[in-house]
Amino acid sequence: MWKYLGVGAALGMFVALQLLLLLFSFSPQISNLIDLVVVSYLKDVLGPVSAGFGGAIAGAYAAYKFQSKSEERKEYKESARVFLLTKLQLNQKFDDLFSIKRHEFHPFRDHKLRMMVIGMLPESPGVRGDIYLRIYDLLSQAGAGKVISDLMLAEKRYAACFYNFMERNKALEEFREKLTSIELGDGLQFSLTDVFKAVELGRVVALHRNTEIMLEVFEEALETVLSALLGLQSALDEKYFPKGSFGIKIEIPSSEYLERLPPPQLSDDELVNMWKHFKSEKSFS
């Protein structure tokens, strides 16, 4: 505020002085009322000096405004770039998780033993790189607090998915080593009775829990990444890529793959009871 007051005062003094000189030049009566030395000093010294000073102020102010506009345009372009890259990165993460669900989880959604038939999963994220920190500032300016929370949570859950995949792969590999004595039928048609013959109850229950926790975290990650993507687009699209300008509008079609997987058909207690039943039948055979 003070810089604008200073510029205004300087320009005001310059205009007032020029008007005074104009008045002296075209009104001899008023000039006669003032000492000729003062009038001459005003015309010959202060007039040219004030004109030069006023021109310098006007030039400096114009340069300042031009630089400010240039910096604003540069900052706007950089903000738009960060927004676009963040949107693309989120979309890639969503596509990554969506593809895993479609090909690895959904075909076995209703399988009674999905804890065993879901195969080995990728252990490394398909999308590398952290979200630009500047995007949080842009969202804060837009008042999109929920999108900030979703974005931060989406990052953590996306990474957690692949950590859980890695842990389950280890458990599944150990589990499969125990199944070497079982001849699996076509299409993985085998029963828990077959499994109980080769694998102890603790491993079966552990794999069941591991798989269901993994699926729960995965579903939460998929939902959060999608929520962050749509929220980001809704909060900033109109500002940086208004209708008709270059931008990427991401449309998420309705799909059965976006629906949560049903709960498992077997619980821990049911597995234990089935194992006890198997043991009791075996003892009488």
Side-chain angles (χ1 to χ4, degrees):
M1 181 183 71
W2 292 107
K3 62 183 178 183
Y4 292 113
L5 289 176
V7 171
L11 289 176
M13 293 175 60
F14 166 73
V15 171
L17 183 57
Q18 293 303 312
L19 289 175
L20 184 61
L21 291 175
L22 183 66
L23 184 63
F24 288 157
S25 299
F26 292 94
S27 181
Q29 295 85 356
I30 296 178
S31 298
N32 293 333
L33 298 176
I34 303 175
D35 191 287
L36 293 178
V37 175
V38 174
V39 174
S40 177
Y41 180 75
L42 289 174
K43 290 182 178 180
D44 299 335
V45 179
L46 287 185
V49 170
S50 64
F53 184 64
I57 292 178
Y61 184 72
Y64 168 77
K65 293 297 291 183
F66 178 79
Q67 184 179 1
S68 296
K69 289 291 183 182
S70 178
E71 290 177 354
E72 286 178 6
R73 285 194 296 270
K74 182 179 179 181
E75 183 177 354
Y76 181 86
K77 289 181 179 179
E78 176 62 19
S79 298
R81 186 185 74 88
V82 169
F83 167 51
L84 182 59
L85 291 178
T86 303
K87 184 199 287 192
L88 290 174
Q89 190 181 92
L90 268 180
N91 187 56
Q92 289 174 340
K93 290 182 177 181
F94 171 76
D95 288 343
D96 191 24
L97 296 180
F98 186 84
S99 178
I100 291 173
K101 183 173 183 179
R102 179 179 180 180
H103 297 291
E104 304 294 341
F105 299 154
H106 198 269
F108 309 113
R109 66 191 307 272
D110 296 316
H111 200 292
K112 189 174 183 179
L113 300 180
R114 69 184 181 189
M115 61 179 173
M116 303 176 197
V117 297
I118 292 176
M120 304 293 279
L121 299 166
E123 298 183 359
S124 299
V127 182
R128 301 285 187 176
D130 297 326
I131 292 293
Y132 290 88
L133 293 179
R134 180 168 172 75
I135 195 67
Y136 296 114
D137 183 43
L138 301 181
L139 290 169
S140 177
Q141 294 175 17
K146 184 180 183 304
V147 183
I148 293 176
S149 299
D150 284 346
L151 192 54
M152 297 176 70
L153 192 57
E155 285 291 281
K156 294 178 181 178
R157 286 179 172 173
Y158 179 79
C161 278
F162 294 92
Y163 175 79
N164 287 339
F165 292 168
M166 181 176 62
E167 292 300 309
R168 182 183 177 275
N169 284 348
K170 295 177 183 177
L172 183 61
E173 190 173 11
E174 295 173 356
F175 190 90
R176 285 179 171 178
E177 289 177 0
K178 292 285 186 176
L179 291 176
T180 53
S181 62
I182 301 178
E183 293 184 4
L184 302 180
D186 294 336
L188 299 175
Q189 298 299 315
F190 58 93
S191 67
L192 270 177
T193 301
D194 298 325
V195 174
F196 287 150
K197 291 177 182 179
V199 184
E200 61 271 23
L201 175 64
R203 283 188 183 276
V204 177
V205 173
L207 182 63
H208 176 263
R209 289 178 179 173
N210 189 303
T211 300
E212 293 308 320
I213 290 174
M214 175 202 71
L215 291 175
E216 179 68 21
V217 172
F218 176 87
E219 293 284 18
E220 291 175 349
L222 182 63
E223 292 172 357
T224 308
V225 170
L226 178 57
S227 177
L229 175 60
L230 296 179
L232 179 71
Q233 186 167 264
S234 175
L236 300 179
D237 246 21
E238 189 60 32
K239 179 177 181 179
Y240 294 105
F241 298 104
K243 189 174 182 180
S245 66
F246 172 76
I248 298 177
K249 185 71 173 179
I250 297 172
E251 301 288 348
I252 305 297
S254 59
S255 170
E256 60 178 326
Y257 302 117
L258 293 178
E259 298 175 4
R260 281 208 170 202
L261 297 172
Q265 295 189 29
L266 294 173
S267 65
D268 291 353
D269 291 338
E270 287 173 323
L271 284 173
V272 172
N273 291 333
M274 292 177 71
W275 180 82
K276 289 180 179 179
H277 181 69
F278 164 75
K279 284 297 184 180
S280 64
E281 284 187 342
K282 188 177 179 181
S283 64
F284 286 107
S285 60

